[in-house]
Each structure stands twice: as structure tokens, then as C-alpha cells.
Amino acid sequence: MRYLVDNGVKWMALPVDFPYWRAVYDFFRRWRACDYVRELHERLRRTARERSGRNAEPSAGVIDSQSVDASETVGEDSRGYDGGKARDGRKRHVLTDTDGLLLEVTVTTADVHDSKAAPALLETFMDQPGRLLKLVWVDSAYQGPALAKAFACHGVRVEVVRRSDGRRGFVVLARRWVVERTLSWLSRSRRLNRDHERRPDHHAQMVWWAAVIRLSRRLAGDAPRWPERRPGRLLRARA
């Protein structure tokens, strides 16, 4: 999947050492149906948090969205126009922890307002057992009685992080910069720079794959290396 996600390769353009592309695509569909990739990321995320001395499940998170243009393979029934970002395509809504690790993602048409998609995003995440989320930071778009009621049903408090009055241009905002960084990480994958998936759930799977690839690289980079892992071996070799 790294060829597809990182390099943006078409299904029919997989390297020759791969099985026939239809077989690879069939495995992709099966894993999507069983939610295997999401489960894999969950386990990697818990491991990463425990290595950093945190609880496996976060108590606080950040929500934001990102609109991307859609290619000609995306049908009119699953795409929309985001007037604020001038994007004709889809919008991915993400929930991350305070370290920027992906917790949940949903994909909608680009014309869906952030406050409309946030309740479903939270519902999907909180539907799993053992969740400890109590606080979520958002921007000013996530407001309204319907959204507040949906979050209150799960005992989650929403805190809006606003820009300072009179500030123009790029401004680093407390808490919100974490999810913005995660969205930029996702955009580094060519497959996610532009939406080529015919189905929104396939696009969400590509987001999970991109998160798995980045998190696995992070865990591998933090792993102890030789000779740090086996310091006595270096001494024996010199003797």
C-alpha cells in the first residue's frame, strides 16, 4: 500500500513483483470491510502513547477538517463545492489526540459544514469500548446547539480556540496547531493530495493507511538500535 498511498500509483500500475492488481484491490476491499487497517493503527497508536509515558486512550483531542479537490473519477453524487476554500471535491474530518496521532476520520462532500460532520465523527470514535475522551478543542466553525447537545451526550466538553482580534496571516494557535500539522502530514502522501477514489469510504481507508505508514516509521525510528540495544556485543567483537 505504500506505493499507492505515498507515491500515488494507480491500481493497474503496481510494480511487477506484486500480485495481479485485481487481487491486491480485492484484499484492500476485504480489509476495508473488516476495518483491519483502523484496528492496526489503533494498536500502533496505543503503543506509541505508552512508550511516551501516556495512557493508551487519550482524554483530550482536537478536531478539524481539510477539503481536497476531486478528480474526474469522483462522481457528482459524492462531491461538493467548498466556497470558503474554493475546493470542488470532498472533505475529510479528523480527530486527533494532543500529540497529533489520528483517532478517527470521516469523509463527506466538500459542501458539508464542519459542525454538521463533527457529531458523527465523535459518535464513531466513542462507539468503541474503553474511550476516555472528555475534552475536544475546535475552531469557531464548530458551534451551535445541535453540536453541543451531541457532544454532551457522550460527556465531552467542547472548547473553541479563537484567533486574536486584529491578527492577520498565519498564526500558530494553541492546541489547534496539532491537528493542522497532522493534516499537513496526510497531504504529503500523493494519494491524498487529490481525491481519486470513487467511494468516500475508500478515501477514508487511504487516510488510515497514510497514518499507519507514518506511525510505523515513527515507532521504528524510536526503537533501540545496535549497539545501544546490545552494548556487550560491540565490546566482545573488539576483544
CSV table of all heavy atoms in Angstrom, one decimal, residues 62-65 85 113-115 136-143 147 158-163 173 176 179-180:
chain,number,residue,atom,x,y,z
A,62,VAL,N,-8.4,17.0,19.4
A,62,VAL,CA,-8.6,18.2,18.6
A,62,VAL,C,-9.3,17.7,17.3
A,62,VAL,O,-8.9,16.7,16.7
A,62,VAL,CB,-7.2,18.8,18.2
A,62,VAL,CG1,-7.5,20.3,17.7
A,62,VAL,CG2,-6.3,18.9,19.4
A,63,ILE,N,-10.2,18.5,16.8
A,63,ILE,CA,-11.0,18.2,15.6
A,63,ILE,C,-10.8,19.4,14.6
A,63,ILE,O,-10.7,20.5,14.9
A,63,ILE,CB,-12.5,18.1,15.9
A,63,ILE,CG1,-12.7,16.8,16.7
A,63,ILE,CG2,-13.3,18.0,14.6
A,63,ILE,CD1,-14.2,16.6,17.0
A,64,ASP,N,-10.6,19.0,13.3
A,64,ASP,CA,-10.5,19.9,12.2
A,64,ASP,C,-10.9,19.2,10.9
A,64,ASP,O,-11.0,18.0,10.9
A,64,ASP,CB,-9.2,20.6,12.1
A,64,ASP,CG,-9.2,21.9,11.5
A,64,ASP,OD1,-10.3,22.3,10.9
A,64,ASP,OD2,-8.2,22.6,11.4
A,65,SER,N,-10.9,19.9,9.8
A,65,SER,CA,-11.3,19.3,8.6
A,65,SER,C,-10.4,19.9,7.5
A,65,SER,O,-9.7,20.9,7.7
A,65,SER,CB,-12.7,19.6,8.2
A,65,SER,OG,-12.9,21.0,8.0
A,85,LYS,N,-13.0,27.4,0.9
A,85,LYS,CA,-11.7,27.0,0.5
A,85,LYS,C,-11.6,26.9,-1.1
A,85,LYS,O,-10.5,26.6,-1.6
A,85,LYS,CB,-11.4,25.6,1.1
A,85,LYS,CG,-11.4,25.6,2.6
A,85,LYS,CD,-10.3,26.5,3.2
A,85,LYS,CE,-10.3,26.5,4.7
A,85,LYS,NZ,-10.1,25.1,5.3
A,113,HIS,N,-20.9,21.3,6.2
A,113,HIS,CA,-20.3,22.2,7.2
A,113,HIS,C,-19.6,21.4,8.3
A,113,HIS,O,-20.1,20.3,8.6
A,113,HIS,CB,-21.3,23.1,7.8
A,113,HIS,CG,-20.8,24.3,8.5
A,113,HIS,ND1,-20.5,24.3,9.9
A,113,HIS,CD2,-20.4,25.5,8.1
A,113,HIS,CE1,-20.0,25.4,10.3
A,113,HIS,NE2,-19.9,26.2,9.2
A,114,ASP,N,-18.6,21.9,8.9
A,114,ASP,CA,-17.8,21.2,9.9
A,114,ASP,C,-18.7,20.8,11.1
A,114,ASP,O,-18.5,19.7,11.6
A,114,ASP,CB,-16.6,22.1,10.4
A,114,ASP,CG,-15.6,22.3,9.3
A,114,ASP,OD1,-15.7,21.6,8.2
A,114,ASP,OD2,-14.7,23.2,9.4
A,115,SER,N,-19.6,21.7,11.5
A,115,SER,CA,-20.4,21.5,12.6
A,115,SER,C,-21.4,20.3,12.4
A,115,SER,O,-21.9,19.7,13.3
A,115,SER,CB,-21.2,22.7,13.1
A,115,SER,OG,-22.0,23.2,12.0
A,136,VAL,N,-12.5,18.3,23.9
A,136,VAL,CA,-12.1,18.5,22.5
A,136,VAL,C,-11.9,20.0,22.2
A,136,VAL,O,-12.8,20.8,22.5
A,136,VAL,CB,-13.1,17.9,21.5
A,136,VAL,CG1,-12.8,18.2,20.1
A,136,VAL,CG2,-13.2,16.4,21.7
A,137,TRP,N,-10.8,20.3,21.6
A,137,TRP,CA,-10.5,21.7,21.1
A,137,TRP,C,-10.9,21.8,19.6
A,137,TRP,O,-10.6,20.9,18.8
A,137,TRP,CB,-9.1,22.1,21.3
A,137,TRP,CG,-8.7,22.3,22.7
A,137,TRP,CD1,-9.0,23.4,23.4
A,137,TRP,CD2,-8.0,21.4,23.6
A,137,TRP,NE1,-8.4,23.3,24.7
A,137,TRP,CE2,-7.8,22.1,24.8
A,137,TRP,CE3,-7.4,20.2,23.4
A,137,TRP,CZ2,-7.2,21.5,25.9
A,137,TRP,CZ3,-6.7,19.6,24.5
A,137,TRP,CH2,-6.6,20.2,25.7
A,138,VAL,N,-11.6,22.9,19.3
A,138,VAL,CA,-12.1,23.1,17.9
A,138,VAL,C,-11.9,24.6,17.5
A,138,VAL,O,-11.5,25.4,18.4
A,138,VAL,CB,-13.6,22.7,17.8
A,138,VAL,CG1,-13.8,21.2,18.0
A,138,VAL,CG2,-14.4,23.6,18.7
A,139,ASP,N,-12.2,24.9,16.3
A,139,ASP,CA,-12.1,26.3,15.8
A,139,ASP,C,-13.6,26.8,15.9
A,139,ASP,O,-14.5,26.1,16.3
A,139,ASP,CB,-11.5,26.4,14.5
A,139,ASP,CG,-12.3,25.7,13.4
A,139,ASP,OD1,-13.5,25.4,13.6
A,139,ASP,OD2,-11.6,25.3,12.4
A,140,SER,N,-13.7,28.1,15.5
A,140,SER,CA,-15.0,28.7,15.6
A,140,SER,C,-16.1,28.2,14.7
A,140,SER,O,-17.3,28.5,14.9
A,140,SER,CB,-14.8,30.2,15.3
A,140,SER,OG,-14.3,30.4,14.0
A,141,ALA,N,-15.8,27.3,13.8
A,141,ALA,CA,-16.8,26.7,12.9
A,141,ALA,C,-17.6,25.7,13.7
A,141,ALA,O,-18.8,25.4,13.3
A,141,ALA,CB,-16.2,26.1,11.7
A,142,TYR,N,-17.1,25.1,14.7
A,142,TYR,CA,-17.8,24.1,15.5
A,142,TYR,C,-18.6,24.6,16.6
A,142,TYR,O,-18.2,24.5,17.8
A,142,TYR,CB,-16.7,23.1,16.0
A,142,TYR,CG,-16.0,22.3,14.9
A,142,TYR,CD1,-14.8,22.9,14.4
A,142,TYR,CD2,-16.4,21.1,14.4
A,142,TYR,CE1,-14.1,22.2,13.4
A,142,TYR,CE2,-15.8,20.4,13.4
A,142,TYR,CZ,-14.6,21.0,12.9
A,142,TYR,OH,-13.9,20.3,11.9
A,143,GLN,N,-19.7,25.2,16.3
A,143,GLN,CA,-20.6,25.8,17.2
A,143,GLN,C,-22.0,25.5,16.9
A,143,GLN,O,-22.3,25.1,15.8
A,143,GLN,CB,-20.4,27.3,17.3
A,143,GLN,CG,-18.9,27.7,17.8
A,143,GLN,CD,-18.8,29.2,18.0
A,143,GLN,OE1,-19.4,29.8,18.9
A,143,GLN,NE2,-18.1,29.9,17.1
A,147,LEU,N,-24.7,20.7,17.8
A,147,LEU,CA,-23.4,20.1,18.1
A,147,LEU,C,-23.1,20.0,19.5
A,147,LEU,O,-22.6,18.9,20.0
A,147,LEU,CB,-22.4,20.9,17.4
A,147,LEU,CG,-20.9,20.4,17.4
A,147,LEU,CD1,-20.2,20.7,16.1
A,147,LEU,CD2,-20.1,21.1,18.6
A,158,VAL,N,-16.6,20.8,24.8
A,158,VAL,CA,-16.0,21.4,23.6
A,158,VAL,C,-15.5,22.8,24.0
A,158,VAL,O,-16.2,23.6,24.6
A,158,VAL,CB,-17.1,21.6,22.5
A,158,VAL,CG1,-16.5,22.3,21.2
A,158,VAL,CG2,-17.7,20.2,22.1
A,159,GLU,N,-14.2,23.0,23.6
A,159,GLU,CA,-13.6,24.3,23.9
A,159,GLU,C,-13.1,24.9,22.5
A,159,GLU,O,-12.3,24.3,21.8
A,159,GLU,CB,-12.4,24.2,24.8
A,159,GLU,CG,-11.8,25.5,25.2
A,159,GLU,CD,-10.7,25.3,26.3
A,159,GLU,OE1,-10.9,24.5,27.2
A,159,GLU,OE2,-9.7,26.0,26.2
A,160,VAL,N,-13.6,26.1,22.2
A,160,VAL,CA,-13.3,26.8,21.0
A,160,VAL,C,-12.0,27.6,21.1
A,160,VAL,O,-11.9,28.5,22.1
A,160,VAL,CB,-14.5,27.7,20.5
A,160,VAL,CG1,-14.1,28.4,19.2
A,160,VAL,CG2,-15.7,26.9,20.4
A,161,VAL,N,-11.1,27.4,20.3
A,161,VAL,CA,-9.8,28.2,20.3
A,161,VAL,C,-9.9,29.3,19.2
A,161,VAL,O,-10.0,28.9,18.0
A,161,VAL,CB,-8.6,27.3,20.0
A,161,VAL,CG1,-7.3,28.1,20.0
A,161,VAL,CG2,-8.5,26.2,21.0
A,162,ARG,N,-10.0,30.5,19.5
A,162,ARG,CA,-10.2,31.6,18.6
A,162,ARG,C,-8.9,32.3,18.3
A,162,ARG,O,-8.0,32.3,19.1
A,162,ARG,CB,-11.2,32.6,19.2
A,162,ARG,CG,-12.6,32.0,19.5
A,162,ARG,CD,-13.5,33.0,20.1
A,162,ARG,NE,-14.8,32.4,20.5
A,162,ARG,CZ,-15.8,32.1,19.7
A,162,ARG,NH1,-15.7,32.4,18.4
A,162,ARG,NH2,-16.9,31.6,20.2
A,163,ARG,N,-8.9,33.0,17.1
A,163,ARG,CA,-7.8,33.9,16.8
A,163,ARG,C,-7.9,35.2,17.5
A,163,ARG,O,-9.0,35.6,17.8
A,163,ARG,CB,-7.8,34.1,15.3
A,163,ARG,CG,-7.5,33.0,14.4
A,163,ARG,CD,-7.7,33.3,12.9
A,163,ARG,NE,-7.0,34.4,12.5
A,163,ARG,CZ,-5.8,34.3,11.9
A,163,ARG,NH1,-5.3,33.2,11.6
A,163,ARG,NH2,-5.1,35.4,11.5
A,173,LEU,N,-1.9,28.8,16.6
A,173,LEU,CA,-2.9,28.8,17.7
A,173,LEU,C,-2.8,27.6,18.6
A,173,LEU,O,-2.5,26.5,18.2
A,173,LEU,CB,-4.4,28.7,17.1
A,173,LEU,CG,-4.7,29.9,16.1
A,173,LEU,CD1,-6.1,29.7,15.5
A,173,LEU,CD2,-4.6,31.2,16.9
A,176,ARG,N,-4.7,23.9,18.4
A,176,ARG,CA,-5.2,23.7,17.1
A,176,ARG,C,-4.1,23.4,16.1
A,176,ARG,O,-4.3,22.8,15.1
A,176,ARG,CB,-6.0,24.9,16.6
A,176,ARG,CG,-7.5,24.9,17.0
A,176,ARG,CD,-8.2,26.1,16.5
A,176,ARG,NE,-8.0,26.3,15.1
A,176,ARG,CZ,-8.4,27.4,14.4
A,176,ARG,NH1,-9.0,28.4,15.1
A,176,ARG,NH2,-8.2,27.6,13.1
A,179,VAL,N,-3.5,19.5,15.2
A,179,VAL,CA,-4.3,18.8,14.1
A,179,VAL,C,-4.0,19.4,12.8
A,179,VAL,O,-4.0,18.7,11.7
A,179,VAL,CB,-5.8,19.0,14.4
A,179,VAL,CG1,-6.3,20.4,14.3
A,179,VAL,CG2,-6.7,18.1,13.5
A,180,GLU,N,-3.6,20.7,12.7
A,180,GLU,CA,-3.2,21.3,11.4
A,180,GLU,C,-1.9,20.6,10.9
A,180,GLU,O,-1.7,20.3,9.7
A,180,GLU,CB,-2.9,22.8,11.6
A,180,GLU,CG,-4.1,23.6,11.9
A,180,GLU,CD,-5.1,23.7,10.7
A,180,GLU,OE1,-4.7,23.3,9.6
A,180,GLU,OE2,-6.2,24.3,10.9
